[in-house]
Amino acid sequence: MAPRSTAAASSTPWATPRVTWARASGWSGTLTEARTRRGAPLWLKLAALMALTSALPLAALAWALLGANAESLKLASREQRVGVVEVLAERVDRAVEARERDLSLVARALTDPTLTPDARLAGALSVVATSASVDHAGVYDASGAIIDTIRAEGAPSPELPDALSPEARATAEGSGLGVVRELDRSRVLLVTPMRARKDADKVTGFVVAAMPLAPLRATLEAAAKERFGGDPDAVTIVGADNTVLAHTDPARVGKPHPLEWVTPDIVSHRVARSGEAPSPDGGTVLVSARPAELVPWVVLARERAEVAYAPLTRLRQLVLGALLIALLAVGVLALLFSRRLLQPVDALIRMTDALARRDFSARTGVSRADEIGTLAAALDSSAEAIQESEAVSYTHLRAHETG
């Protein structure tokens, strides 16, 4: 038998040049090149989608929590500072009430018709000597001219004015207690009317005592140190005309308060107020005010908004930190889950790459009870069928060549 030509041998599928799927489809590259030219892997896209869909509800929940608690925390902060000024206003009232009570006792002793003039004076001296709040009392006639000064033994001279102003007399007659600011910025005068026993509407004179502001200033300093971090401008006692009466800095006494927040409405209604106001030096301050009951004074507390609302800032930081941690955890879990979920896809890609190289012995090695498993089984079955068909064809060809 004549030997077969090389051309005949080369007509077999094993001798002809391999025609890849890419060339048959018009693709100029190979399957490997197609894989390297693709974009982000599917598992990464899936992980990003999962993280995004989880991040939106988490962010919405965090925003809702912050919104629900922001106003509550602001209200709590304001109520806390209102409580501070209420305590200070009560201390002012107690200090004034003690002096008013003792001055009223002096006035009663001096107007008691059942006593002789000497006995009246002795009674007034006894009140002053045993009082814990006043160590002197100035006696004025109905026109406001000073008559005499009663002092406890060893008490310094009070340096009372020679006459009372018409305004001080009118206030004392109308409300039972008048307040006069002293020029030395360290004292205020408390004025109590003396009334006739038989005619309560008739004012026969006035009893006056100087109230030092140093104890109030010490109270303000303690409150500023304890509640407001030692800020010297944190707590102030202001008059109805917005003039500073007591301040941790004595040089500020007698000057207008820079906030101009005290209004006649606050003083007359005796109600506490709290709110935000622009600071003279820029920014925003939280202001709380509480008027005293016995005198037209207002205890004013102010604090920078960023300090007053520090709990809200901390809450926002905690919520945002927890949100970031949750998002990071979701991202990591999404990466792991998507990677595990799409890991069989890599096996399918390797399988198709092997088929493109005409390696029909390759198998996916995927065994799953889902769509990916079905696809993997179909590829394995197809490869097995092609491999068997190729084996049969090869056997027939070998038999034909040797036959």
Side-chain angles (χ1 to χ4, degrees), residues 53-395:
T53 54
S54 301
L56 291 178
L58 286 175
L61 178 61
W63 185 265
L65 288 174
L66 286 176
N69 291 282
E71 291 302 322
S72 298
L73 286 175
K74 285 186 176 181
L75 181 60
S77 182
R78 293 176 182 178
E79 290 179 348
Q80 180 183 8
R81 282 147 185 82
V82 167
V84 173
V85 294
E86 284 182 344
V87 170
L88 295 177
E90 290 176 0
R91 292 181 181 178
V92 171
D93 283 329
R94 286 199 298 268
V96 173
E97 183 181 15
R99 288 168 172 80
E100 181 190 20
R101 181 180 61 250
D102 290 341
L103 290 179
S104 297
L105 291 176
V106 172
R108 289 184 181 183
L110 293 176
T111 57
D112 190 346
T114 63
L115 300 177
T116 63
D118 291 341
R120 295 175 188 173
L121 182 59
L125 284 171
S126 175
V127 171
V128 172
T130 58
S131 173
S133 56
V134 296
D135 58 2
H136 67 278
V139 182
Y140 291 74
D141 61 20
S143 65
I146 190 168
I147 299 175
D148 197 2
T149 301
I150 303 172
R151 288 187 298 167
E153 185 177 357
S157 176
E159 298 181 2
L160 300 176
D162 295 332
L164 298 176
S165 66
E167 180 184 0
R169 298 199 307 270
T171 304
E173 291 177 7
S175 62
L177 180 66
V179 180
V180 180
R181 287 197 293 269
E182 276 280 43
L183 296 178
D184 59 10
R185 300 179 180 179
S186 63
R187 303 178 301 167
V188 293
L189 290 181
L190 302 181
V191 183
T192 299
M194 292 188 296
R195 303 182 184 275
R197 293 294 182 91
K198 295 182 179 181
D199 186 2
D201 294 333
K202 182 180 180 181
V203 175
T204 60
F206 301 91
V207 179
V208 176
M211 177 180 173
L213 296 176
L216 293 180
R217 184 159 47 272
T219 301
L220 298 183
E221 290 176 351
K225 182 178 180 180
E226 180 180 356
R227 299 285 186 175
F228 300 97
D231 183 3
D233 294 326
V235 191
T236 312
I237 298 178
V238 184
D241 58 354
N242 205 53
T243 301
V244 176
L245 297 177
H247 193 279
T248 55
D249 181 7
R252 302 285 293 275
V253 175
K255 298 180 180 179
H257 195 278
L259 288 181
E260 298 182 359
W261 213 69
V262 175
T263 62
D265 180 68
I266 298 178
V267 178
S268 60
H269 288 82
R270 296 290 193 269
V271 293
R273 280 186 56 187
S274 183
E276 296 178 359
S279 176
D281 55 355
T284 303
V285 292
L286 177 61
V287 186
S288 301
R290 176 65 166 85
E293 296 290 338
L294 300 178
V295 287
W297 300 349
V298 177
V299 179
L300 198 66
R302 66 172 180 172
E303 192 171 24
R304 289 193 172 275
E306 58 268 21
V307 178
Y309 298 145
L312 177 58
T313 303
R314 288 195 293 269
L315 175 64
R316 287 173 175 168
Q317 293 173 348
L318 288 175
V319 171
L320 291 178
L323 177 61
L324 291 177
I325 293 175
L327 292 179
L328 180 61
V330 167
V332 172
L333 291 177
L335 286 174
L336 295 176
F337 179 75
S338 62
R339 185 64 176 166
R340 181 177 178 83
L341 179 65
L342 297 179
Q343 189 174 10
V345 176
D346 292 335
L348 298 179
I349 294 175
R350 290 193 296 270
M351 179 66 178
T352 57
D353 199 5
L355 293 177
R357 298 193 308 269
R358 302 183 65 83
D359 180 9
F360 303 119
S361 63
R363 298 294 183 266
T364 61
V366 176
S367 177
R368 295 171 56 131
D370 55 12
E371 289 80 358
I372 296 179
T374 302
L375 177 60
L379 282 176
D380 289 341
S381 298
S382 299
E384 184 178 359
I386 295 174
Q387 184 181 22
E388 292 176 354
S389 176
E390 289 286 315
V392 171
S393 299
Y394 179 74
T395 301

